[in-house]
Amino acid sequence: MSDAIKHECGIALIRLRKDYQYYINKYGTPLYGINKLYLMMEKQVNRGQDGAGVANIKIDVPAGHRYISRYRSVEQNAVADIFGKIYKKFRKGLKDHKDKAKDAKWIQENVAFSGEVFLGHLRYGTHGQNEIENCHPMLRQSNWRSRNLVVAGNFNMTNVEELFNKLISLGQHPKEKVDTVTVMEKIGHFLDEENQRQFDFHKHSYENPELSNVIEDNIDLQRVLQRSCRDFDGGYAMCGVTGHGSAFVARDPAGIRPAFWYADDEVVVVASEKQAIKTSFNCNYEDIQEVQPGHALIIDKRGNYSEKKFIEPLEKKSCSFERIYFSRASDPDIYAERKELGRLVIPQVLQEVNYDLKNTVFSYIPNTAETAFLGMIEGLEDYLAKERKKAIMGGGLAEETLEELLTFRPRVEKLISKDVKLRTFITNDADRNDMVSHVYDTTYEVIKKGVDNVVLIDDSIVRGTTLERSILKLLDKLGPKKIVIVSSAPQIRYPDCYGIDMSRMKDFVAFRATYELLIERHMEDILEDTLGRCVSAFELGTAHTQNFVKAIYEPFTNEEISAKIADIVKPADLKADLAIVYQTVDSLNKACPYNLGDWYFTGNFPTPGGNKVVNKAFVNFMKGVEIRAY
């Protein structure tokens, strides 16, 4: 997006299913697991650049040896920073023991990060400062191996207050009121109870230290998740690893956040994106499976795995933004879907340029919109093919006209590009406005001044600020007759609360446009009525039952709101005519039929907490409160 937003997080889990010596013998290095994790994380670095973390568990090392290792970093290149330190540890550990370089037992007892279970995380911060304490994996420690818990995830919970209070009712004293801590402590509490349950059941049959091994072999992680996750309201793909080497990846009941897994006789791996698994392990795409909503992939201490239901699944509402923007387009399914998104906006685009393709130039921004752009051009080619057929079947064409008809191609140019490697959303609000006007460059002398239309496709238009302060001004310098900005996503009207940093109503240009239309047409009563309904619902404790904010959009068509958005983002001195074209929700769902989580655009939230968040966000806006709604 030219208006980039913070979003998502990335997870990577690797479980080596054979003993450590096997990988040294076969691959000639004790770094097989580390190397694979590094590759998986680099292939998902698009999902998080605020920080990263890695944890490793060694299974069955003798007492007195460290069996949990963890590094986290908030450096600019956090993944490289972490793995640079890990590789340094190996070099240092083996420097005076080169004869031990292929001795698995010695390495595991003397060198960190030489275990069988690896957990990696890439962070985009939606809560808290960009500090190392906020980076995953989080660690809950105990002197009992099976009570240790390492957690990392891609999630946001809408009911943190409720979860926090439940922990207090259990007798805990959480150190922070944030979802990461409450999630980890809640799972940790029921992991402790499961340990105690197994201890009580087996204590008359075994004695320590054998009893500890029996407990580890019988820990029921499905039961732990059933008890700990039943109160969660949010989107999540959570990874957990116990100190004895069992692991789980749990996915929310609506399948909001993504999680994929692959297994063979050597490894079980999980990632947020298929492409990271495909690249790292050179497996077939069809062998990569999706963790089903409400299910957890559970891997026991021996490396056996199964997918088990831990909570009743809801209607599947996987995040559509994954397909529009967040996930890498090198995934063949996502690539095809983004091309289809570009193809499906063609009818609206043709109307805006009055079907004058001879005098229209097509382009895109940013680079992530390239795939949708290719689809748009293919859609134009399809349209032209039909027009050619229609003209030829009609007959009576002069040779010159026929030649022009057969040889005409859509005009494609690279008009806008970033001339510095700078992500404008990283800076604070005060600096961002100045920055966005300097990070783009323009290609000159390819537009016929006063004659050509320019059509520019973007992934999505969220705030509209980059359009107003930079892109439109740059395009206007080229002298086009009309500028048409195309969004491959529909109008973003509602906040997200499941892992993407879009929580304030005023941040959405579609909301600001609708608000202005209501004021202009003297329909303020709709705003006041909606505010009254929201406030009353919070007083009655029913704010989670309905999205009352939908009412403010009902008086207007998509086209009316798009026209007002064009008015808002249009610079005062813009000479060209301006139009904004948005994808329709129906076309979005047609292009991405398996990711129907479209609450950003429709307000149809998949969990009750979403309704509560949007109602709170509206109340905050109307009362001038500048805080997030969850």
Side-chain angles (χ1 to χ4, degrees), residues 598-613:
D598 57 12
W599 57 89
Y600 319 92
F601 320 114
T602 64
N604 298 327
F605 288 88
T607 76
N611 292 328
K612 187 175 181 180
V613 167

Side-chain angles (χ1 to χ4, degrees), residues 343 346 350 357 362 374-388 405-412:
R343 186 181 290 109
I346 286 301
L350 290 172
L357 295 182
F362 294 87
L374 294 175
M376 184 169 69
I377 299 305
E378 285 188 6
L380 287 170
E381 294 281 9
D382 292 343
Y383 165 77
L384 288 171
K386 292 176 183 177
E387 290 299 303
R388 291 187 189 104
L405 184 67
L406 293 175
T407 58
F408 180 79
R409 294 290 182 271
R411 295 171 61 194
V412 173

Side-chain angles (χ1 to χ4, degrees), residues 564-583:
K564 175 51 67 175
I565 291 172
D567 288 343
I568 289 174
V569 302
K570 184 176 182 178
D573 57 350
L574 194 77
K575 299 180 182 65
D577 292 335
L578 175 65
I580 306 289
V581 171
Y582 280 93
Q583 187 76 258

Side-chain angles (χ1 to χ4, degrees), residues 225-241:
L225 293 171
Q226 286 172 336
R227 303 184 73 200
S228 58
C229 299
R230 57 191 172 195
D231 300 317
F232 292 172
D233 186 299
Y236 54 86
M238 292 185 297
C239 294
V241 184

Side-chain angles (χ1 to χ4, degrees), residues 344-468:
L344 290 172
V345 295
I346 286 301
Q348 295 161 269
V349 172
L350 290 172
Q351 283 186 325
E352 287 296 344
V353 299
N354 198 27
Y355 296 86
D356 183 11
L357 295 182
K358 184 177 180 180
N359 297 307
T360 300
V361 174
F362 294 87
S363 192
Y364 64 91
I365 188 172
N367 288 340
T368 50
E370 182 179 9
T371 308
F373 171 75
L374 294 175
M376 184 169 69
I377 299 305
E378 285 188 6
L380 287 170
E381 294 281 9
D382 292 343
Y383 165 77
L384 288 171
K386 292 176 183 177
E387 290 299 303
R388 291 187 189 104
K389 181 178 179 180
K390 189 190 304 180
I392 293 170
M393 294 294 287
L397 292 175
E399 183 178 347
E400 183 178 342
T401 303
L402 179 61
E403 183 176 354
E404 181 181 358
L405 184 67
L406 293 175
T407 58
F408 180 79
R409 294 290 182 271
R411 295 171 61 194
V412 173
E413 304 289 352
K414 179 74 171 177
L415 295 179
I416 300 283
S417 59
K418 277 195 174 183
D419 64 350
V420 293
K421 293 181 179 179
L422 192 60
R423 298 182 71 137
T424 57
F425 64 92
I426 290 176
T427 64
N428 59 47
D429 290 342
D431 294 335
R432 185 177 189 279
N433 294 344
D434 180 63
M435 186 179 297
V436 296
S437 64
H438 298 292
V439 298
Y440 294 103
D441 202 0
T442 316
T443 304
Y444 291 94
E445 307 305 324
V446 294
I447 301 297
K448 292 178 289 184
K449 296 184 178 181
V451 176
D452 282 343
N453 305 304
V454 168
V455 175
L456 190 78
I457 191 168
D458 195 350
D459 306 287
S460 176
I461 303 168
V462 185
R463 305 178 185 93
T465 52
T466 307
L467 279 176
E468 179 183 2

Side-chain angles (χ1 to χ4, degrees), residues 184-347:
M184 181 179 65
E185 291 300 335
K186 198 147 189 287
I187 296 173
H189 170 80
F190 288 107
L191 179 62
D192 286 343
E193 286 204 348
E194 176 63 13
N195 271 271
Q196 188 64 45
R197 187 175 76 94
Q198 295 296 341
F199 174 81
D200 292 339
F201 185 81
H202 293 289
K203 64 182 179 182
H204 300 297
S205 303
Y206 301 92
E207 294 185 359
N208 280 321
E210 185 182 9
L211 177 57
S212 294
N213 292 326
V214 171
I215 290 172
E216 292 175 356
D217 289 338
N218 287 278
I219 291 289
D220 187 346
L221 288 180
Q222 180 185 19
R223 187 173 189 270
V224 172
L225 293 171
Q226 286 172 336
R227 303 184 73 200
S228 58
C229 299
R230 57 191 172 195
D231 300 317
F232 292 172
D233 186 299
Y236 54 86
M238 292 185 297
C239 294
V241 184
T242 66
H244 63 277
S246 292
F248 66 83
V249 180
R251 193 175 184 204
D252 66 83
I256 296 169
R257 298 273 69 89
F260 301 93
W261 65 277
Y262 164 78
D264 58 26
D265 62 342
E266 292 186 353
V267 296
V268 182
V269 298
V270 180
S272 295
E273 298 186 26
K274 283 185 178 181
Q275 179 264 356
I277 298 174
K278 165 66 177 174
T279 301
S280 301
F281 293 91
N282 195 31
C283 56
N284 297 320
Y285 265 106
E286 55 265 30
D287 293 330
I288 303 172
Q289 302 184 54
E290 187 176 9
V291 178
Q292 294 305 303
H295 288 65
L297 180 69
I298 296 175
I299 311 166
D300 67 19
K301 181 181 176 181
R302 308 302 173 192
N304 302 309
Y305 62 91
S306 60
E307 198 170 6
K308 297 182 179 180
K309 185 172 74 173
F310 66 93
I311 195 169
E312 199 61 38
L314 302 172
E315 181 182 2
K316 190 178 181 184
K317 292 291 183 180
S318 300
C319 173
S320 55
F321 256 131
E322 285 287 344
R323 321 306 278 187
I324 298 167
Y325 174 66
F326 295 149
S327 295
R328 286 177 181 254
S330 49
D331 181 303
D333 294 333
I334 293 175
Y335 183 79
E337 290 170 13
R338 289 185 186 174
K339 288 185 73 174
E340 187 67 9
L341 287 169
R343 186 181 290 109
L344 290 172
V345 295
I346 286 301

